[in-house]
Each structure stands twice: as C-alpha cells, then as structure tokens.
Amino acid sequence: MENILSSERFVTVEPIEKGWSGDKKYCVVDAIGTKYLLRITPIERYEARKSLYAMLEQVAELGIPMCTPVEFGVCPDGVYSLQTWIDGDDLKETLASLPETEQYVLGLQSGKILNKMHSISAPNEQEEWSSQFNLKIDNKIHEYLNCGIKFDGDDHVLEYIENNRGLLENRPQCFQHGDYHVGNMMLEYGELRIIDFDRHSFGDPWEEFNRIVFCAQVSPHFATGQLHGYFDGEPPFEFFKLLALYSAVNMLASITWAIQFGKNDIDFMLKLSQDNLKWYDNMQNPIPTWYLKNYEVWDIYDVNGNKTGRYHERGKPVATGDYHIVVYVWKYNSKGEWLIDKRTERYGRGNFDNKWETTGGCAIVGDDSLAAALRETKEELGIDLDPQKGMLYKRTPRIGKDGHTWFEDVWVFEYDEPIESVAYDGSEVCDAMWATVEKIREMVKAGEFVTEYTGSVLYPYFDEMVEKYRLK
C-alpha cells in the first residue's frame, strides 16, 4: 500500500486548514513542479469517496472548470484522491472589490456552468421528488420547532411552506453540486473555477439555487447574473415561487445546522433569516428584492468590431467610440410576407408605444450577433428560428445625437410558419401579423411603424432589403 505522502512521490506537502469537511487536505508538488490537491478520507468512507470520484470524472467530461480528478486509491491513512490544483483566489473574498458589471458577468458564467452540470440526469431508480422533499420538509420543521432557538417571522416562513408544497409535484431531477455558491468558487487568472463537490446529490435542478442567498449577500449583481446565465434570460415566475419555498426550508434548516458550531454561526444564520424575510417581504412576494430585474450588460467593441474586454451597463451613457451591437431581425415566408409585431405601451414615448416593428434588441454580454438575433426573437415572439435559414444582411456603424455609437446588425431569416406559432406574453409585444411589403409601406406612411427619436423611419434599408429577397 503506497504512502501517498512520501517524499519519493511529492517534494512539497503543505496542509490546508480551510473547509468544513473532516478530510485531511494538502497542496502537494511533484518533482517536476506540478501542484495537486490531495484529500485523504478515513477508510470507512471508501465507497462514498469512490462514488464521488466517479462523479467528478463525469462532471469533468463536460468541460466544467474545476479541480479535475487525477488519481484515486488507498493509503495507510485511508482513501485518497488527487486532483489538479487551482492557483487562484477565493471568489467570496474578491468579488465585492470588482466593478458591478464584472460581478454580473462572473455570475452569468456561474449560471451557464451550473446549467451544463444539470445536463447529467438522475438515476432512473431515484425516488419521486415530491415525496422525498416533503419528507425532508417534515423533518426540518420538526428539528427547528424542537431546537430551542427561534427567529422573528418564522410564522410567515412556516405558512409559506405549507401553502406551496404542491409546487414540488412532477419536478425533474438531475445531478446537483450540492453547495453551489461563491464560497465554493475561485477566480484563477480572471476565470471562474468551481470547487468542493462533497455534498453532491440528485434532485430538482431549481433546488440547487437554495444557496444563492450567500451570493446575494455578497453581490446582488452576481446573484442576478447567475439566474440570467442559467435561464439564458429572465427566469420564469414559477422558478421564483419554488426558490422561495426552498429558501424558506433552508431558513429553518440553517438554524439547527448552526447549533453544532456555536454562537457565531447561530448569529450569522439568524441574521440571514432576517435578510431573507426582508428580501421576500415576509414571504409575501416570491421575487426577492435583491434580484435586479432588467439589469443588462453589453460587451464593448472597438470601431473594427473587436471585443475590448470591457463591459457597459445598459441605461448609462455610452462613450463615443465604444460600440455595442443592436440587432434587427426580419422574418419572411414563401408567400413574400414579412412577420411584424406591435410594441406594448410601456415606454411613455409616442414613437415607440403601440407601434409596429420587427424584432430588435441589444446583444448582451457573451452574445455574438447571431445569438442575440435568436434570443431576442425567442423572448419577444416565442419562436425558435433556424440559424441555418438566416443571414446577416448588413452591419452599419451608427452614431446618435448624444455621441452614442453602436453597430446596427440587420438579420433576415426564412420562417414559413403560421401566425399561430407566435406566442408573446404582452410585456414587450402585444400583437403580430404576416404582412405584405405593400401593407408595410402603407403602415409606414400612416405613421404606424416605430421611428427613431429623430422622427425618421427606423428602417431606411427596407426597400433594398425586400427587393433582394423578392428576387431570391
């Protein structure tokens, strides 16, 4: 049996004191200078550690940025696992010092990573989610009521739980990291890394967000970005209702968990319960106040269309020479008609509200122009365009009266589906129709189409575009 800590194997062995587990952890360096994370666990946990190692191998195959598994075996001190070393900083300690746009971008990345992890399905023999989690709820309520410590407002929490158990029915299940928050993330050369899969399990993918409160405490921008990255946009309202349920259960469970560690941890969790109740307005509003609805960040490009590595928060002035991408997405069918939609009355501006248009919007951080075109169409009209049936018609550098500069990208897609395929929710679009070129020209003359703040028609390329595709 190999002594994994022998000087023949590693020239440097440094103990690591951080973390909650009972494992012995070390930073070890071999003869050629390569660093590794070494974990040694009591032999009694052999099967659990073997299962975790196999799971880590499966997760690593997805390309998740993490400590990738290298070696697993038995040594005189127990069972060991060797993983690649992450030479970075704890995200929890560095996040708040970053600009808010960068906090959001890192959150966005964490959401996309989590979504990829959730592609690993739960075993077929997994117990139905509603029955297993309702049993967990019963146990957590019993433990809380009998632990001797209470927090103000727990009646609101208990009531919300009882009134929303039905949300657990028919939920899907997948692999879960088990403790996904900023405390288990690192920043290595500006790139996000995920660590500590010790609490991995299988369950409802949305339950994984029960730790997002720890992210929101440090940075609401990061927490918001995590949701936007996971859902590729705004989360559905059903998600928030379930998140509130999982957060409510965690409020109770965190108190009984903290008792074993003493007063400081108890006080921290009591404060967190009060933060949660404020965020949820005593459980009256399932959308927490830390969530920054409609917060949007753009990549900044130079005049040649190259990313600068800088970001811009929507709503703030854009410096002249800092470009972002705005897409307009036209859809035509085999009848020669074009799909147009009508803006909802929400801007308070006559040149936009209740006016007809084509789909349009800004590319958000991480989008290329095509991704933005597909996403905006999905968000506004509920339809999935085939990227193979579209092309970038033209890109035009633009400058506004205020010096704001952007690239106007016009996309044209073939889409031969009936109007019934369109599904808008009324937040941005309130009507849609297939219209002939002649009908659109009549509507433009009648002032029924969107115009810019200058008062001119927004689509000066329209005649040239429709002629090209008529001939095609």
Side-chain angles (χ1 to χ4, degrees), residues 87-154:
D87 201 6
D89 300 313
D90 292 341
L91 184 62
K92 184 178 180 181
E93 305 302 322
T94 60
L95 185 60
S97 65
L98 300 174
E100 289 177 347
T101 52
E102 292 187 25
Q103 295 176 30
Y104 175 84
V105 170
L106 287 170
L108 201 74
Q109 292 172 7
S110 76
K112 292 180 183 295
I113 291 169
L114 185 60
N115 185 280
K116 187 181 290 187
M117 274 197 275
H118 285 174
S119 67
I120 300 175
S121 301
N124 292 331
E125 63 272 16
Q126 190 80 357
E127 181 185 356
E128 195 273 330
W129 180 246
S130 178
S131 61
Q132 62 170 298
F133 199 81
N134 269 307
L135 179 60
K136 179 178 181 178
I137 289 175
D138 294 339
N139 291 335
K140 296 303 179 184
I141 290 176
H142 176 78
E143 291 171 2
Y144 173 76
L145 294 177
N146 290 279
C147 76
I149 299 175
K150 301 291 178 289
F151 60 83
D152 293 339
D154 61 0

Side-chain angles (χ1 to χ4, degrees), residues 189-404:
Y189 308 117
E191 298 295 326
L192 199 63
R193 301 287 184 262
I194 311 302
I195 63 172
D196 198 353
F197 288 75
D198 279 20
R199 297 179 182 173
H200 79 283
S201 59
F202 295 95
D204 177 3
W206 291 359
E207 195 235 353
E208 185 87 88
F209 290 93
N210 62 7
R211 304 292 206 277
I212 201 171
V213 293
F214 298 122
C215 302
Q217 275 190 318
V218 178
S219 168
H221 293 82
F222 179 92
T224 299
Q226 187 173 101
L227 297 186
H228 289 172
Y230 185 86
F231 289 99
D232 196 22
E234 291 286 328
F237 185 63
E238 283 300 310
F239 164 78
F240 284 111
K241 292 198 295 184
L242 257 173
L243 176 61
L245 174 61
Y246 293 136
S247 298
V249 175
N250 256 25
M251 279 188 247
L252 305 180
S254 64
I255 303 301
T256 56
W257 173 85
I259 290 173
Q260 62 185 311
F261 298 106
K263 185 177 185 304
N264 287 341
D265 289 280
I266 294 171
D267 290 344
F268 177 83
M269 291 304 178
L270 286 172
K271 180 183 182 305
L272 185 59
S273 71
Q274 298 309 296
D275 289 342
N276 265 297
L277 285 165
K278 289 178 182 177
W279 287 331
Y280 285 109
D281 189 20
N282 286 324
M283 307 310 296
Q284 298 304 301
N285 185 355
I287 301 180
T289 56
W290 56 253
Y291 176 64
L292 307 174
K293 183 175 175 60
N294 298 322
Y295 185 80
E296 191 169 293
V297 174
W298 305 330
D299 283 306
I300 293 297
Y301 297 79
D302 63 24
V303 68
N304 297 313
N306 302 309
K307 284 186 179 181
T308 64
R310 294 183 289 112
Y311 308 107
H312 181 83
E313 179 184 338
R314 181 175 185 168
K316 293 184 178 180
V318 180
T320 302
D322 278 355
Y323 288 79
H324 68 103
I325 295 174
V326 179
V327 296
Y328 294 99
V329 191
W330 292 89
K331 290 78 60 183
Y332 71 99
N333 63 18
S334 57
K335 300 177 182 178
E337 298 169 321
W338 295 78
L339 183 59
I340 58 175
D341 55 81
K342 191 176 186 181
R343 281 184 179 261
T344 301
E345 186 173 357
R346 65 189 183 108
Y347 288 93
R349 293 181 291 175
N351 57 336
F352 281 94
D353 289 352
N354 290 319
K355 294 294 182 75
W356 289 86
E357 60 167 3
T358 191
T359 305
C362 297
I364 60 175
V365 63
D367 275 356
D368 58 18
S369 184
L370 174 59
L374 298 174
R375 177 182 49 77
E376 287 289 341
T377 305
K378 179 68 173 179
E379 287 180 3
E380 295 185 11
L381 300 181
I383 59 178
D384 293 301
L385 295 175
D386 183 350
Q388 301 299 318
K389 294 185 177 181
M391 66 168 289
L392 180 62
Y393 172 65
K394 68 161 49 181
R395 164 171 285 189
T396 307
R398 301 287 301 274
I399 184 167
K401 284 186 174 180
D402 59 356
H404 171 194

Side-chain angles (χ1 to χ4, degrees), residues 143-191:
E143 291 171 2
Y144 173 76
L145 294 177
N146 290 279
C147 76
I149 299 175
K150 301 291 178 289
F151 60 83
D152 293 339
D154 61 0
D155 54 328
H156 300 300
V157 173
L158 291 164
E159 181 181 10
Y160 187 87
I161 291 172
E162 292 306 322
N163 290 342
N164 289 278
R165 287 181 183 247
L167 297 174
L168 301 169
E169 297 289 339
N170 302 315
R171 290 298 303 157
Q173 296 189 65
C174 67
F175 169 81
Q176 294 180 331
H177 174 277
D179 201 17
Y180 200 75
H181 60 84
V182 291
N184 285 324
M185 299 177 190
M186 298 183 72
L187 205 56
E188 183 179 41
Y189 308 117
E191 298 295 326

